[in-house]
Amino acid sequence: MRADKPIGTWLLYWPCAWSIALAAAPGTLPDLKLLAICGTGAFLMRSAGCIINDLWDKDFDRQVERCATRPLASGELNTKQAITLLAGLLSASLGCLVQLNLTTIALGFTAIIPTILYPLAKRYTNWPQIVLGGTFNYGAIMGYTAVTNTFVPEAIIPLYLSTIFWTLVYDTIYAHQDKEDDIKIGVKSTALRLGEQTKPWLTAFSAGMITNLAFAGIMTNQTWPFFFAIAATSCHLGWQISTLQINNRSDCWNKFTANQWIGALIFSGIIVGTLLKE
Ligand SMILES: *[C@@H]1O[C@H](CO)[C@@H](O)[C@H](O)[C@H]1NC(C)=O
């Protein structure tokens, strides 16, 4: 279940946590119970996502050095055991989901389809990261509705878009690690599509993230600590992009994982910004 690499869970958790915190009433802390449900859900869905991905990819993974030791690719776990484990994880996730309000439960069900289809996207498009972003950041929508029980488009849509841009940034960096293997087995990615043009594109994605996040903040009457956190995030992204060595695997991994700090930074900004709201 890749519990040894918690970065995936963190990146899944942050958009949901931001959303819960952004929806909190002025002057209050975010709902701790919702944050806990979201954290549990992120861990379970991340594990389920890994299994779904590995089920689609087990024949590919055998050919990829970094992935050949994944339990399904190596034969340590057979398909039937994997599906049983997947069913268990999905049932437990459902247990988290049903504790939320009806709007959020309904949204949760619609997330199943892209979750299953994402692993196919990388076979057919150069931009699988967009599909990943749309799927992976459902929490940015569901966190808000879990608090409000209604879809608040002016806050939720820019927040969701900003998290999709964020995924484009970190997952393009991530995909640069795998590009040689991906060429060999015929898998597509933004890293291959953008190649030497990666840095200008990452800069544009970052601008998309920051602009949408600022917009979400304006729409929710956020205060200066939130905008301070956005400014600090811009600097962090600037550092990532300017120092990134796209042909150095360990550097790509380090920059990719550094994104968890952006998650924590924005989350803190939203909390303090909301406490200062009148
Ligand atoms: C690759 O990146 C790592 C981590 O940032 C760094 O320590 C190493 O020197 C880099 N390797 C090369 C060949 O530049």
Side-chain angles (χ1 to χ4, degrees), residues 155-236:
I156 293 175
I157 292 173
L159 181 67
Y160 182 54
L161 289 176
S162 80
T163 58
I164 294 175
F165 278 115
W166 187 31
T167 300
L168 277 168
V169 173
Y170 65 66
D171 205 60
T172 298
I173 296 175
Y174 182 89
H176 270 287
Q177 296 179 97
D178 287 347
K179 60 193 167 186
E180 282 149 31
D181 290 326
D182 286 349
I183 295 172
K184 246 186 273 169
I185 59 180
V187 160
K188 301 175 177 174
S189 75
T190 44
L192 291 174
R193 170 70 181 74
L194 304 176
E196 293 304 315
Q197 291 304 310
T198 291
K199 289 193 179 194
W201 279 90
L202 290 179
T203 308
F205 299 152
S206 300
M209 176 194 182
I210 296 297
T211 312
N212 278 289
L213 202 51
F215 198 65
I218 292 167
M219 287 296 144
T220 53
N221 303 314
Q222 271 295 335
T223 58
W224 69 265
F226 172 80
F227 296 99
F228 180 80
I230 292 188
T233 298
S234 308
C235 297
H236 192 284

Side-chain angles (χ1 to χ4, degrees), residues 245 248-252 254-255:
Q245 300 170 283
N248 177 337
R249 281 191 179 197
S250 68
D251 191 59
C252 289
N254 291 346
K255 299 288 152 55

Side-chain angles (χ1 to χ4, degrees), residues 44-143:
L44 294 168
M45 284 309 293
R46 143 87 177 159
S47 308
C50 288
I51 295 177
I52 295 172
N53 187 62
D54 292 1
L55 280 167
W56 283 118
D57 282 2
K58 60 185 186 322
D59 300 327
F60 278 163
D61 282 351
R62 258 179 227 128
Q63 305 167 40
V64 176
E65 187 192 332
R66 196 175 56 77
C67 305
T69 57
R70 287 181 178 173
L72 271 166
S74 68
E76 189 190 317
L77 198 66
N78 68 35
T79 305
K80 201 172 146 197
Q81 288 165 326
I83 290 175
T84 310
L85 183 56
L86 178 61
L89 290 165
L90 290 177
S91 309
S93 308
L94 190 64
C96 288
L97 184 64
V98 295
Q99 296 176 52
L100 306 173
N101 58 43
L102 275 178
T103 312
T104 314
I105 294 174
L107 278 166
F109 277 100
T110 66
I112 295 173
I113 298 160
T115 306
I116 293 172
L117 293 183
Y118 158 67
L120 291 180
K122 61 189 169 189
R123 299 183 180 35
Y124 301 107
T125 156
N126 286 318
W127 294 86
Q129 276 73 21
I130 296 181
V131 184
L132 177 71
T135 309
F136 205 73
N137 296 304
Y138 242 73
I141 306 175
M142 291 169 64

